[in-house]
Amino acid sequence: GQNIDQPTEMTATEGAIVQINCTYQTSGFNGLFWYQQHAGEAPTFLSYNVLDGLEEKGRFSSFLSRSKGYSYLLLKELQMKDSASYLCAVNNQAGTALIFGKGTTLSVSS
Amino acid sequence: GAVVSQHPSRVICKSGTSVKIECRSLDFQATTMFWYRQFPKQSLMLMATSNEGSKATYEQGVEKDKFLINHASLTLSTLTVTSAHPEDSSFYICSARDRGGTGKGANTEAFFGQGTRLTVV
């Protein structure tokens, strides 16, 4: 089955940089997703990595190492509105549904 | 991006009653939709995969007689929580992927409905 591990909580200050790590073990691999979820709201898509390396998208970047079963989400120039839960996800074995990690709750303070 | 609409956003029901939640893909056809459940401060747990025109596929530990799923058209899936009890109180959320008619779409992002906050009293 799919197994995903990420830290439960992280804290940071405005303007800082934070890295949220995710490790995974999967039966087959066809990409890793990062989602942001504010409390009581639907998750929103941040990034998708299927090849090794860094994908940059504005203040957010995501890195993947398939050999290590490892990814991270890098958030730069943190803002208060970045306080949210960040979810790492991979496809299920059938490649149809997303299986999510437990999420990392990020608290940004001033 | 594609739009998935979920209704109602919030429902309170009495113990023993049934509640139906609708999930619609508004600008694309979804032969498959997914239902998740989320308890406070926990992650999304996949409950079942809804398949248009056929039976849903349930994840291990999810009671199919309690969580009835119907996917009667390419744009609508419904989840009915039958004989609801307080422990069924949770955030239920659906998702779909716009596969564009090709392949499994494993590389496409999943779009989520707004979620339904169910409270059983």
Side-chain angles (χ1 to χ4, degrees):
Chain A
Q2 321 300 72
N3 189 43
I4 302 168
D5 192 33
Q6 51 182 129
T8 305
E9 294 181 338
M10 297 184 73
T11 59
T13 54
E14 268 189 304
I17 300 173
V18 71
Q19 177 175 312
I20 302 174
N21 296 323
C22 170
T23 56
Y24 63 90
Q25 297 90 41
T26 58
S27 301
F29 178 78
N30 43 22
L32 185 140
F33 297 79
W34 283 96
Y35 278 80
Q36 179 193 61
Q37 185 182 28
H38 286 98
E41 297 181 11
T44 54
F45 171 78
L46 292 178
S47 69
Y48 170 70
N49 295 68
V50 66
L51 300 176
D52 290 350
L54 187 68
E55 295 276 344
E56 297 186 76
K57 192 185 293 185
R59 293 191 298 118
F60 293 6
S61 302
S62 56
F63 171 84
L64 176 68
S65 168
R66 288 173 296 171
S67 62
K68 295 181 180 178
Y70 167 69
S71 173
Y72 67 72
L73 180 69
L74 192 71
L75 293 78
K76 303 176 185 176
E77 301 170 16
L78 280 174
Q79 302 173 10
M80 298 291 285
K81 67 178 183 179
D82 296 329
S83 294
S85 183
Y86 292 85
L87 306 169
C88 176
V90 295
N91 284 294
N92 62 357
Q93 288 184 255
T96 54
L98 288 182
I99 303 301
F100 288 86
K102 294 184 177 178
T104 300
T105 300
L106 173 66
S107 299
V108 180
S109 58
S110 57
Chain B
V3 178
V4 174
S5 177
Q6 186 173 341
H7 178 80
S9 58
R10 194 177 292 269
V11 59
I12 300 173
C13 71
K14 291 185 177 180
S15 188
T17 61
S18 296
V19 173
K20 180 185 283 188
I21 303 169
E22 292 187 349
C23 180
R24 294 179 186 274
S25 56
L26 296 187
D27 50 1
F28 66 101
Q29 293 182 333
T31 55
T32 309
M33 291 185 178
F34 310 96
W35 287 96
Y36 293 84
R37 181 174 182 175
Q38 187 174 35
F39 289 108
K41 297 189 178 181
Q42 294 190 25
S43 191
L44 296 155
M45 296 298 296
L46 180 66
M47 297 174 67
T49 300
S50 173
N51 303 299
E52 187 268 334
S54 65
K55 292 182 180 179
T57 306
Y58 290 83
E59 295 299 302
Q60 194 171 10
V62 178
E63 299 175 60
K64 56 183 165 184
D65 293 332
K66 179 160 188 67
F67 298 101
L68 299 179
I69 290 173
N70 184 274
H71 195 149
S73 78
L74 288 171
T75 59
L76 173 65
S77 174
T78 61
L79 169 69
T80 301
V81 183
T82 63
S83 187
H85 291 286
E87 56 265 32
D88 298 324
S89 298
S90 188
F91 188 60
Y92 293 87
I93 191 162
C94 68
S95 80
R97 297 166 101 160
D98 184 0
R99 303 176 187 280
T102 59
K104 290 185 177 179
N107 60 340
T108 61
E109 64 181 279
F111 296 96
F112 288 85
Q114 301 93 321
T116 298
R117 173 74 58 196
L118 171 64
T119 303
V120 185
V121 297

